[in-house]
């Protein structure tokens, strides 16, 4: 790997392949795989990730919003794309770009039927979302009859799948709750299939659902975080490889005397003769202020260098008093030594948040 000369997010497609194949090895041969590539493929690079997974013959993609789906179509993605959280204002665009909506309440279902009919669609594929305990989006169990009558009154749409989402599949202490969600979803899908007269695809499991609940795999699974290398447990992390490494360089080294302060609000005060390094990455790049004041650290020459003082917009300063290093040397923020999950823990957050926070200003470098 060439040493970083500026702040870069390296994306390793071989690691992605490893993760995809590992997750697929958990499924039986008939279960389809949907890759969740929302939020720039969890802060990496949605176009590159989607193209690579399309070549590996992934069955489906999902993103949250319609504009994310449009960007994938613009990049040449032909695989079906589920839009998890569409808004009616963009339905014409959704249809033009052959994106498939998740419809989660009567309002949005009616709005979609109206637009699909106006656009003279027949059997337009839609996905019906049910709430089984997350209480975020979705029809309730007792809405089944209503959904069936609304969808069977029109030929404009066809229910391609019904699905739900698990609230804490990563937490084995809450097995009972997850079991209930699986049970509820089974009830809903049985009733739905019976009333509808045909069986749509069923899907429920996210990454931890794949790893922890074989009986939640159903017809398709939806994986995000696992593809990017995090399994929601130390044990599973051993089988997965983080695809993204965030690197930077030392721009300048300062030697500061006892009592001198560092950065805005003079938040750090030196206790003796100390050495600091200034690094070109700040809160505008996704390293939030909560990592400052010796919470977070970076790795320089294999050693921990704690962030001192407040995180600036474009820079952090780190303590390198006991590290043998020079201006221009490489800095690892997360990747091999400290993975994004461990880095996130220093600020009491989770891998999902830190990896999706890396802003578009940071150059993405694809490694194959
Ligand atoms: C984001 C999301 C996923 C992916 O979850 P991971 O834990 O990252 O695998 C799956 N399904 C839905 C509905 C989502 O919003």
């Amino acid at each position: 790997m060439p040493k970083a000369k500026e702040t870069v997010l390296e994306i390793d497609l071989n690691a992605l392949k490893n993760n995809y194949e590992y997750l697929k090895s958990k499924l039986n041969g008939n279960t389809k795989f949907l890759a969740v590539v929302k939020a720039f493929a969890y802060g990496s690079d949605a176009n590159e990730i989607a193209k690579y997974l399309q070549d590996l013959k992934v069955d489906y993609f999902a993103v949250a919003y319609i504009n994310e789906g449009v960007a994938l179509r613009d990049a040449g993605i032909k695989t079906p794309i589920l839009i998890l959280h569409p808004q009616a204002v963009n339905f014409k665009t959704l249809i033009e770009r052959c994106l498939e909506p998740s419809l989660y309440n009567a309002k949005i279902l009616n709005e979609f039927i109206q637009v699909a009919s106006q656009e003279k669609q027949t059997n337009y594929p839609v996905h019906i979302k049910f709430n089984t305990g997350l209480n975020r989006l979705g029809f309730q169990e007792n809405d089944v009859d209503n959904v069936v009558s609304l969808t069977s009154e029109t030929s404009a749409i066809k229910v391609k799948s019904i699905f739900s989402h698990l609230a804490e599949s990563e937490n084995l202490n809450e097995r009972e709750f997850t079991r209930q969600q699986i049970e509820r979803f089974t009830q809903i899908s049985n009733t739905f299939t019976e009333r509808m007269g045909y069986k749509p695809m069923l899907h429920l499991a996210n990454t931890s659902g794949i790893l922890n609940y074989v009986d939640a795999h159903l017809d398709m699974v939806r994986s995000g975080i696992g593809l990017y290398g995090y399994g929601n447990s130390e044990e599973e992390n051993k089988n997965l490889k983080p695809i993204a490494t965030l690197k930077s360089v030392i721009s300048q080294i300062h030697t500061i005397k006892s009592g001198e302060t560092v950065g805005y609000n003079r938040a750090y005060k030196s206790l003796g003769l100390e050495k600091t390094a200034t690094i070109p990455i700040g809160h505008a790049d996704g390293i939030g202020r909560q990592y400052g004041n010796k919470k977070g650290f970076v790795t320089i020459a294999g050693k921990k260098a704690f962030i001192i003082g407040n995180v600036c917009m474009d820079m952090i300063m780190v303590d390198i008093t006991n590290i043998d290093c020079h201006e221009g040397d490489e800095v690892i923020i997360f990747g091999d030594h400290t993975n994004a999950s461990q880095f996130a823990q220093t600020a009491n957050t989770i891998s999902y948040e830190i990896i999706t926070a890396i802003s578009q200003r940071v150059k993405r470098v694809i490694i194959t």
Side-chain angles (χ1 to χ4, degrees), residues 28 83 112-113 144 153-154 180 218 232 238 254 267 327:
N28 82 40
I83 308 294
F112 190 73
I113 290 172
V144 171
E153 270 163 18
T154 168
Q180 266 178 36
L218 307 176
N232 287 326
K238 290 183 194 141
H254 289 278
E327 290 172 349

Side-chain angles (χ1 to χ4, degrees), residues 36 38 42 84 129 136 165 206-207 222-225 352:
V36 181
K38 63 195 179 190
Y42 289 40
L84 294 166
K129 185 162 200 189
R136 189 172 73 175
H165 194 36
N206 64 337
T207 299
R222 304 184 305 270
S223 177
I225 199 78
Y352 293 80

Side-chain angles (χ1 to χ4, degrees), residues 23 34-38 42 62-64 82 84 102 129 134 136-137 163-166 169-170 203-210 221-228 230 232 352:
L23 293 163
L34 175 152
V36 181
V37 294
K38 63 195 179 190
Y42 289 40
V63 289
L82 165 61
L84 294 166
S102 155
K129 185 162 200 189
L134 183 60
R136 189 172 73 175
L137 284 181
F163 73 110
S164 187
H165 194 36
L166 299 172
S169 50
E170 74 279 15
H203 48 112
L204 178 61
N206 64 337
T207 299
S208 333
I210 297 172
V221 294
R222 304 184 305 270
S223 177
I225 199 78
L227 287 172
Y228 308 111
Y230 297 94
N232 287 326
Y352 293 80

Side-chain angles (χ1 to χ4, degrees), residues 8 15 30 44-45 62 103 106 143 168 190 215 275 286 296 300 313 315 318 322 334 345:
V8 292
N30 300 323
S44 59
D45 185 323
L103 302 173
D143 292 328
E168 58 173 335
N190 286 345
D215 55 340
K275 243 179 12 162
I300 299 174
M313 189 184 296
M315 278 168 260
V318 300
N322 298 311
F334 59 74
Q345 275 165 31

Side-chain angles (χ1 to χ4, degrees), residues 98-170:
C98 294
L99 304 168
E100 303 178 8
S102 155
L103 302 173
Y104 48 85
N105 64 10
K107 178 172 186 287
I108 199 155
L109 174 56
N110 280 317
E111 285 167 330
F112 190 73
I113 290 172
Q114 200 186 350
V115 178
S117 309
Q118 273 164 10
E119 298 297 305
K120 309 213 170 2
Q121 300 296 312
T122 46
N123 293 330
Y124 196 93
V126 303
H127 305 260
I128 305 289
K129 185 162 200 189
F130 283 93
N131 174 30
T132 53
L134 183 60
N135 288 317
R136 189 172 73 175
L137 284 181
F139 287 98
Q140 297 299 119
E141 188 166 0
N142 60 15
D143 292 328
V144 171
D145 283 342
N146 194 25
V147 174
V148 169
S149 59
L150 286 172
T151 50
S152 42
E153 270 163 18
T154 168
S155 58
I157 64 168
K158 168 128 188 176
V159 179
K160 192 161 169 190
S161 86
I162 57 180
F163 73 110
S164 187
H165 194 36
L166 299 172
E168 58 173 335
S169 50
E170 74 279 15

Side-chain angles (χ1 to χ4, degrees), residues 116-355:
S117 309
Q118 273 164 10
E119 298 297 305
K120 309 213 170 2
Q121 300 296 312
T122 46
N123 293 330
Y124 196 93
V126 303
H127 305 260
I128 305 289
K129 185 162 200 189
F130 283 93
N131 174 30
T132 53
L134 183 60
N135 288 317
R136 189 172 73 175
L137 284 181
F139 287 98
Q140 297 299 119
E141 188 166 0
N142 60 15
D143 292 328
V144 171
D145 283 342
N146 194 25
V147 174
V148 169
S149 59
L150 286 172
T151 50
S152 42
E153 270 163 18
T154 168
S155 58
I157 64 168
K158 168 128 188 176
V159 179
K160 192 161 169 190
S161 86
I162 57 180
F163 73 110
S164 187
H165 194 36
L166 299 172
E168 58 173 335
S169 50
E170 74 279 15
N171 183 357
L172 292 175
N173 295 325
E174 291 294 339
R175 253 197 214 99
E176 216 24 63
F177 185 82
T178 303
R179 292 252 154 263
Q180 266 178 36
Q181 281 200 276
I182 298 171
E183 185 51 35
R184 243 176 242 160
F185 185 64
T186 308
Q187 291 284 337
I188 291 168
S189 45
N190 286 345
T191 318
F192 192 91
T193 303
E194 196 179 294
R195 306 268 155 88
M196 203 67 193
Y198 64 86
K199 183 179 169 290
M201 263 197 308
L202 310 179
H203 48 112
L204 178 61
N206 64 337
T207 299
S208 333
I210 297 172
L211 298 173
N212 295 336
Y213 297 93
V214 178
D215 55 340
H217 291 183
L218 307 176
D219 298 319
M220 182 160 78
V221 294
R222 304 184 305 270
S223 177
I225 199 78
L227 287 172
Y228 308 111
Y230 297 94
N232 287 326
S233 80
E234 287 298 319
E235 215 30 58
E236 282 298 351
N237 283 346
K238 290 183 194 141
N239 300 313
L240 299 164
K241 292 188 192 154
I243 68 158
T245 304
L246 183 60
K247 294 180 168 179
S248 191
V249 293
I250 298 178
S251 298
Q252 192 175 14
I253 290 178
H254 289 278
T255 301
I256 52 171
K257 296 198 213 68
S258 182
E260 280 195 85
T261 60
V262 177
Y264 289 129
N265 315 109
R266 306 177 65 212
Y268 179 75
K269 194 169 186 187
S270 172
L271 300 169
L273 195 64
E274 293 182 354
K275 243 179 12 162
T276 70
T278 302
I279 300 166
I281 188 164
H283 62 72
D285 303 290
I287 309 298
R289 279 169 59 98
Q290 63 274 28
Y291 290 93
N293 298 307
K294 293 208 167 167
K295 292 267 177 16
F297 60 85
V298 301
T299 303
I300 299 174
K303 292 196 168 145
K304 281 184 186 180
F306 281 88
I307 301 171
I308 54 177
N310 288 324
V311 171
C312 311
M313 189 184 296
D314 317 307
M315 278 168 260
I316 51 174
M317 281 71 88
V318 300
D319 180 1
I320 52 160
T321 307
N322 298 311
I323 302 175
D324 183 15
C325 58
H326 305 95
E327 290 172 349
D329 282 2
E330 185 174 81
V331 175
I332 312 282
I333 293 108
F334 59 74
D336 340 322
H337 301 274
T338 307
N339 69 36
S341 176
Q342 294 160 334
F343 185 75
Q345 275 165 31
T346 66
N348 286 321
T349 182
I350 56 172
S351 58
Y352 293 80
E353 186 180 50
I354 184 68
I355 64 178

